[in-house]
């Protein structure tokens, strides 16, 4: 079976990474427009660097680990009983740490930087600032987090569309169904004839579009689903 899996911030919540919209409507205390848009970076690069430096430091501080949901998805891919395409909106590296062999990070990766001058992408486990120097071109004040901000084009859209067009099953896990184009993948999958399953803590904006919705914690429900798929 061809399976396309889309994960969102909810799959990393039990690992201790806060989801996007907290109860206060803010992302880690910030309005999204202030830290996750190209305009914000132009206006106040230091604030945007500080925000992502904080997220990166937290991801690396030793308290955050992949949970049973990340590990179960890795198991599903490694068993090779099905062809699995794993697409994540998450910028953390918990799928990789959980053992997933290939992840399409459509919104980029927190542990990478990109040069706005020469476009080179590099591993980045340190803080970034306006004083950072690009290892490829030697430029200064030209590095940014390799993440996709609101208003920017996500990565891998052609690969994702191709995988969805031949999918037998599309599964969305821990995503609110509010951020496009990812929120539209379920409709593309249905149009392509795939069965669609949502696994989420609560009803999402897209729940009505799925053939089936399972409500609960990803850490419980994802291992159960993987077990069903590999029996
Ligand atoms: P979102 O925060 O908008 O939605 C998360 C969804 O997960 C919610 O519907 C919530 O009910 C559900 N959820 C919460 N805890 C859960 C659990 N334990 N098990 C199952 N479901 C759970 O996230 P989104 O839809 O991914 O959109 C957010 C955007 O913010 C993305 O573009 C992403 O790049 C970015 N973001 C990434 C991270 C990360 O990398 N971990 C964290 C926050 C935000
Ligand atoms: Zn450069």
């Amino acid at each position: 079976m061809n399976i396309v899996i889309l994960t969102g911030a909810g799959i990393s919540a039990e690992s201790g990474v806060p989801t996007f919209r907290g109860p206060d409507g803010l992302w880690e205390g910030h309005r999204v427009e202030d830290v996750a848009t190209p305009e914000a970076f132009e206006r106040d690069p230091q604030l945007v660097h500080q925000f992502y430096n904080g997220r990166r430091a937290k991801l690396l501080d030793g308290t955050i680990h992949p949970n049973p949901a990340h590990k179960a998805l890795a198991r599903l891919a490694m068993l090779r009983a099905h062809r699995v395409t794993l697409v994540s909106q998450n910028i953390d590296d918990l799928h990789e740490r959980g053992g997933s062999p290939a992840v399409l990070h459509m919104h980029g990766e927190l542990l990478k930087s990109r040069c706005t001058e020469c476009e080179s992408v590099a591993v980045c486990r340190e803080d970034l600032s306006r004083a950072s120097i690009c290892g490829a071109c030697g430029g200064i004040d030209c590095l940014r987090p390799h993440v996709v901000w609101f208003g920017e084009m996500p990565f891998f859209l052609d690969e994702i569309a191709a995988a969805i067009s031949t999918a037998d099953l599309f599964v969305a896990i821990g995503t609110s169904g509010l951020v496009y184009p990812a929120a539209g993948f379920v409709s593309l999958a249905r149009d392509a004839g795939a069965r669609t399953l949502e696994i989420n803590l609560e009803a999402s904006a897209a729940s009505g579009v799925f053939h089936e919705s399972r409500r609960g914690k990803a850490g419980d429900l994802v291992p159960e689903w993987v077990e069903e798929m590999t029996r």
Side-chain angles (χ1 to χ4, degrees), residues 5 64 110 184 221:
I5 301 167
I64 303 218
L110 188 52
L221 297 186

Side-chain angles (χ1 to χ4, degrees), residues 43-57:
R43 200 180 327 120
D44 194 347
Q46 204 51 47
L47 173 74
V48 175
H49 276 314
Q50 248 172 42
F51 176 76
Y52 286 97
N53 288 344
R55 309 279 74 71
R56 192 181 303 109

Side-chain angles (χ1 to χ4, degrees), residues 106-218:
M106 63 178 290
H107 292 163
E109 294 174 70
L110 188 52
L111 301 184
K112 289 185 179 166
S113 65
R114 181 167 85 247
C115 179
T116 56
E117 297 291 334
C118 74
E119 297 294 324
S120 73
V121 172
V123 170
C124 172
R125 302 177 74 86
E126 313 292 328
D127 283 357
L128 286 175
S129 76
R130 302 193 63 181
S132 299
I133 294 170
C134 173
C137 71
I140 190 165
D141 194 15
C142 53
L143 296 187
R144 58 166 281 179
H146 185 49
V147 301
V148 175
W149 287 321
F150 285 90
E152 294 184 321
M153 183 71 93
F155 302 130
F156 306 116
L157 289 181
D158 290 347
E159 283 102 314
I160 296 167
I164 289 176
S165 72
T166 61
D168 302 297
L169 175 63
F170 173 83
V171 187
I173 303 168
T175 176
S176 59
L178 291 170
V179 180
Y180 280 82
F185 291 168
V186 58
S187 299
L188 288 183
R190 280 195 76 132
D191 291 348
R195 189 174 164 73
T196 55
L197 166 67
E198 173 184 60
I199 296 177
N200 209 55
L201 197 55
E202 56 197 9
S204 79
S207 291
V209 186
F210 287 84
H211 291 102
E212 183 187 352
S213 282
R214 299 185 187 180
R215 306 267 155 80
K217 289 185 172 179

